[in-house]
Amino acid sequence: MATHRPMGSEDRIDLSEDGFTGFPRKLPENCVEYLLFLLGNGLEARSLLSDLENVRKSASRLCDKVAKGYIWQRDSFQLRLERDQDLVYLRGATDYGDAVEDEWLVVYLLRELSKSFPVLWIRVFDGDGEFLLVEAANALPKWLSPEIDSNRVWIHAGKLYILPLAASSGVKRPLSLSEATNYIKSSSDDLVHSEFVEAEAFYRLEKYPGQISDSIHHSLVTIPRKLVYILHENPSVIAPAVEAFYLRDAVAMKSLTSPSRDMHFPPDDLVTVSVKFTKVLFAQLKSQQFSPPPVWATVFEATEKQASDAEDVQKALARLEIGMKLTSGFEMLATDADKKDNRLAREFAMLLEDLEEDGAQVLPTNEDMEAWEDVRRDDDESWLDINFEDFENELQGNRGLRKGDKGRFGDSSAQADLQKIVSRFESFLNDESAGIEGAEMEDMDEDDDMSGEDEDDSDDEDKVVSFDEDQFSRMMREMMGLPTVQPTNPEKTPGDSKPILIPSITNADEEEDEDEDKAIKQLAAQMEAELKGHGALKLDPEPEKAKAIEAGNDTNSKGKAKMNNEEESSEEEVDIDYNLAKNLLESFKSQAGMAGPAGNILGMMGLQLPRDEDEEDGD
């Protein structure tokens, strides 16, 4: 199986049939780009612009319908007309920041749009290149490597198509955009469509459109009434405000700490209402450690005093803390918001300017807010909590689920993703088609530093020698302090040993090696004697028990038959098992609660040891 490594567009140089055409532009990180073409033999050039405009309007209507009320992390889904040499098409780019789900929402919209236009062909990629192929790496044909996949993946009529090697005249090289579009026009029937590749590439789209509503989180927060008005007018402006708070620096903090500055949102006239977030935005806000600015300190003190019991205090402080962080983010965003590149930031600046001109008369009253939809909605925040035991269970496919477990880790999509990761990893490890060379790396660069002459010389210097497995096993058992075992085939002759290759040596080297072997054996014997003297190689864990057994044997020998050889050997095995268990427990204890070899081995055997929280003298 060929390993498909993601490759950014900045790593590729366009080597089309016309030769080098220049270095490609670099796509920003966390940005998805999409190109929409109308390709067909029956299309008229004079109607192309109007047809593309119809596609753009349909895409806008589809986004409004499917993603109505959705809060984009940075940029929304958008298209504009683009001209590139002889090509005329629609182009869009969406910066999704930390919200990877925004990228997959774009792919979902593009796939749905392609079902409405029979001649619409779409290419989508990001900073990692053809990320749809990265998703389908487990099912790709071996010839399709990251070095040649540029412009080969297209979405058409809701399906995924791959341009074959014939598009590049059978040569393994990346395609230029014009080459790809020309091949689609002339040979669209020759494109490769694999249901297996398509299922892997579009795997994340299975949870759409339901994922759109599932990604929204409502939470009760305590914020100034002035900010309530802005969020009610345009809920999407919360995204740049949270980002301003999340990426704050010392300069941005001056708007909160400088006593000479007038604040746009002072902590006055505070009200508690439900605010709509995406789960990513809420997690960014919730996870940040942030000390209240001086102007908010008195508000927190007053809240603690007003609450009637401890539970009310905790709820009130939690809502006030989130509200303080959100208000601080808007305060930072208000600084030069009209000059920012973000469209939502500029919309917020206009809203704030209109509000300051109109004054408090436009602010909503308590009665007005009570009539709003979901004004008291407060969603459960348990999705923020990660139970690592449940996480381990999901990685194991829910094997060994303990009694009393009420639920599973994460939602259904998280469970499916985890089990898919584990199944892919296990299939990779169990791939019997891989030889001793390991995983196949198709068409990857080879290391040519080693010349052929050196390899021939080394082969000539190798010779066949014998290797006695029984002798090697006996020596290893002696070094480990384990009891020796009789050879399974005592009549085995040296000639029966398996041949292996080792570098040839001269007679002088043989004599020198023999002297070294004698010295090593003497040193090993001295070390073994010293270790035995200190009891380090003693297998019997309980000397007193051994003495009692010996005394019992002496007594019983007067009236009973002696123990047979099988009983003695089983007694030896018990001692060995004891030492093995003892060593495993000591190794597990040395991990100090962290991951380690002993814990991993016991986990694979279905054993889970409790944490050793209290130190004990005995073992």
Side-chain angles (χ1 to χ4, degrees):
M1 180 184 69
T3 302
H4 195 92
R5 176 181 59 85
M7 190 180 206
S9 57
E10 66 273 13
D11 296 331
R12 296 190 179 94
I13 297 177
D14 193 359
L15 297 176
S16 64
E17 57 185 3
D18 300 329
F20 175 71
T21 58
F23 292 97
R25 62 182 180 82
K26 183 177 180 180
L27 191 66
E29 186 179 3
N30 297 334
C31 183
V32 58
E33 187 171 348
Y34 30 101
L35 314 177
L36 286 71
F37 293 83
L38 294 178
L39 303 175
N41 295 327
L43 291 176
E44 296 183 4
R46 58 185 179 181
S47 64
L48 180 60
L49 292 179
S50 60
D51 292 341
L52 286 173
E53 179 63 18
N54 289 334
V55 173
R56 190 193 67 80
K57 290 180 179 179
S58 296
S60 179
R61 290 193 296 267
L62 177 64
C63 182
D64 293 340
K65 177 183 177 182
V66 174
K68 182 180 180 181
Y70 184 74
I71 300 176
W72 298 86
Q73 184 78 6
R74 287 185 180 171
D75 297 335
S76 61
F77 178 78
Q78 51 195 340
L79 292 170
R80 64 176 181 274
L81 190 67
E82 191 85 7
R83 296 177 183 268
D84 184 9
Q85 298 177 358
D86 296 334
L87 299 176
V88 181
Y89 54 95
L90 294 174
R91 175 184 174 272
T94 298
D95 187 350
Y96 54 86
D98 292 335
V100 182
E101 292 297 337
D102 283 11
E103 180 178 32
W104 288 104
L105 176 55
V106 168
V107 178
Y108 175 76
L109 292 172
L110 293 172
R111 188 184 69 169
E112 296 302 304
L113 182 65
S114 69
K115 298 176 181 178
S116 303
F117 296 90
V119 293
L120 180 61
W121 292 81
I122 302 172
R123 180 178 177 239
V124 57
F125 55 96
D126 62 11
D128 292 330
E130 307 291 346
F131 66 93
L132 290 178
L133 292 186
V134 177
E135 291 292 314
N138 200 40
L140 291 180
K142 291 185 178 181
W143 63 266
L144 188 56
S145 65
E147 288 76 16
I148 67 170
D149 65 0
S150 182
N151 295 308
R152 289 188 183 269
V153 187
W154 294 78
I155 300 174
H156 172 67
K159 299 180 180 180
L160 189 77
Y161 290 89
I162 299 176
L163 273 64
L165 279 176
S168 54
S169 303
V171 180
K172 291 186 176 182
R173 63 172 178 82
L175 295 172
S176 66
L177 190 58
S178 59
E179 284 179 317
T181 54
N182 289 334
Y183 187 83
I184 293 175
K185 288 180 183 179
S186 61
S187 308
S188 60
D189 294 337
D190 297 334
L191 269 64
V192 179
H193 172 253
S194 169
E195 292 183 357
F196 297 104
V197 175
E198 180 180 283
E200 291 289 307
F202 290 156
Y203 172 75
R204 293 175 182 256
L205 302 185
E206 294 178 0
K207 54 190 176 183
Y208 286 92
Q211 175 64 21
I212 298 174
S213 58
D214 292 342
S215 64
I216 299 299
H217 179 83
H218 290 77
S219 180
L220 287 173
V221 298
T222 303
I223 53 178
R225 190 182 301 268
K226 191 176 180 180
L227 184 54
V228 172
Y229 168 80
I230 289 179
L231 287 174
H232 182 69
E233 291 294 316
N234 191 350
S236 296
V237 298
I238 195 173
V242 172
E243 184 173 71
F245 174 80
Y246 190 68
L247 302 178
R248 64 190 180 277
D249 54 19
V251 177
M253 286 291 294
K254 288 183 179 180
S255 59
L256 299 174
T257 58
S258 177
S260 60
R261 293 195 180 189
D262 294 331
M263 299 182 66
H264 295 281
F265 302 99
D268 301 331
D269 193 14
L270 299 176
V271 291
T272 300
V273 295
S274 181
V275 174
K276 182 169 73 172
F277 301 84
T278 63
K279 288 184 176 179
V280 173
L281 292 172
F282 186 76
Q284 288 180 333
L285 207 63
K286 183 85 172 179
S287 63
Q288 288 280 292
Q289 297 293 330
F290 184 67
S291 299
V295 293
W296 285 83
T298 55
V299 180
F300 276 85
E301 294 176 0
T303 302
E304 291 182 4
K305 296 177 180 178
Q306 292 174 359
S308 58
D309 54 39
E311 184 177 354
D312 291 340
V313 169
Q314 293 299 324
K315 287 183 179 180
L317 289 178
R319 294 169 182 173
L320 182 60
E321 182 182 9
I322 293 294
M324 177 266 298
K325 292 178 180 179
L326 182 60
T327 306
S328 299
F330 274 100
E331 193 68 47
M332 298 177 197
L333 181 63
T335 305
D336 300 329
D338 55 337
K339 299 179 182 178
K340 295 184 181 295
D341 296 334
N342 191 294
R343 175 183 58 85
L344 290 174
R346 296 193 298 271
E347 291 180 5
F348 162 70
M350 291 187 290
L351 263 175
L352 183 61
E353 183 178 357
D354 293 342
L355 177 59
E356 291 179 346
E357 289 179 359
D358 296 337
Q361 59 185 3
V362 297
L363 295 181
T365 63
N366 292 341
E367 291 76 13
D368 294 335
M369 291 185 292
E370 289 297 331
W372 293 348
E373 184 180 4
D374 294 331
V375 69
R376 293 297 171 190
R377 180 176 172 180
D378 194 19
D379 293 343
D380 185 19
E381 300 178 10
S382 59
W383 56 270
L384 284 169
D385 302 327
I386 297 178
N387 187 312
F388 288 99
E389 293 182 357
D390 292 342
F391 181 77
E392 289 291 339
N393 285 330
E394 291 299 332
L395 289 179
Q396 297 295 331
N398 256 11
R399 289 177 298 195
L401 190 63
R402 299 181 311 277
K403 295 181 179 179
D405 285 349
K406 296 181 179 179
R408 302 174 65 181
F409 169 79
D411 53 20
S412 57
S413 61
Q415 297 162 13
D417 290 341
L418 283 172
Q419 293 180 11
K420 184 177 182 182
I421 292 170
V422 174
S423 62
R424 283 184 175 181
F425 184 68
E426 289 178 347
S427 63
F428 174 77
L429 293 179
N430 297 328
D431 184 11
E432 296 181 355
S433 63
I436 60 174
E437 300 292 337
E440 295 181 14
M441 304 298 288
E442 188 80 8
D443 297 330
M444 298 301 289
D445 295 336
E446 300 290 342
D447 188 2
D448 297 329
D449 295 341
M450 179 72 74
S451 63
E453 297 179 358
D454 295 339
E455 293 178 356
D456 294 339
D457 293 342
S458 63
D459 291 340
D460 294 338
E461 293 176 356
D462 290 345
K463 69 176 184 178
V464 178
V465 298
S466 62
F467 176 74
D468 193 335
E469 294 182 0
D470 292 337
Q471 180 71 7
F472 177 77
S473 177
R474 183 182 63 80
M475 293 176 61
M476 291 301 297
R477 293 183 70 86
E478 288 180 355
M479 293 179 61
M480 296 294 294
L482 298 175
T484 58
V485 179
Q486 294 298 327
T488 57
N489 186 9
E491 298 180 357
K492 186 176 181 181
T493 61
D496 296 331
S497 303
K498 291 185 179 180
I500 61 172
L501 292 176
I502 64 170
S504 61
I505 52 178
T506 62
N507 292 333
D509 292 336
E510 289 178 355
E511 294 176 358
E512 183 178 352
D513 289 342
E514 289 179 0
D515 295 338
E516 290 182 357
D517 290 342
K518 292 180 180 179
I520 291 174
K521 288 181 179 179
Q522 292 178 359
L523 180 60
Q526 294 175 5
M527 291 177 61
E528 182 178 359
E530 184 173 353
L531 289 172
K532 284 183 177 179
H534 290 283
L537 298 181
K538 199 169 187 179
L539 290 178
D540 194 348
E542 299 183 16
E544 293 78 10
K545 182 179 179 182
K547 293 178 180 178
I549 292 174
E550 292 175 0
N553 287 340
D554 293 340
T555 303
N556 293 337
S557 62
K558 296 178 180 179
K560 296 182 180 180
K562 292 184 179 179
M563 298 175 66
N564 55 31
N565 293 334
E566 293 181 357
E567 291 174 342
E568 291 177 357
S569 61
S570 65
E571 200 171 83
E572 269 187 356
E573 292 176 0
V574 171
D575 290 341
I576 295 172
D577 292 341
Y578 178 90
N579 281 273
L580 175 61
K582 180 173 179 291
N583 292 335
L584 276 174
L585 290 174
E586 289 179 349
S587 176
F588 180 80
K589 183 177 180 180
S590 66
Q591 294 175 191
M594 306 296 289
N600 293 338
I601 292 173
L602 292 172
M604 288 186 292
M605 294 188 296
L607 301 176
Q608 184 175 5
L609 298 181
R611 295 180 181 272
D612 189 10
E613 298 179 353
D614 299 327
E615 292 293 335
E616 296 179 2
D617 297 332
D619 292 329

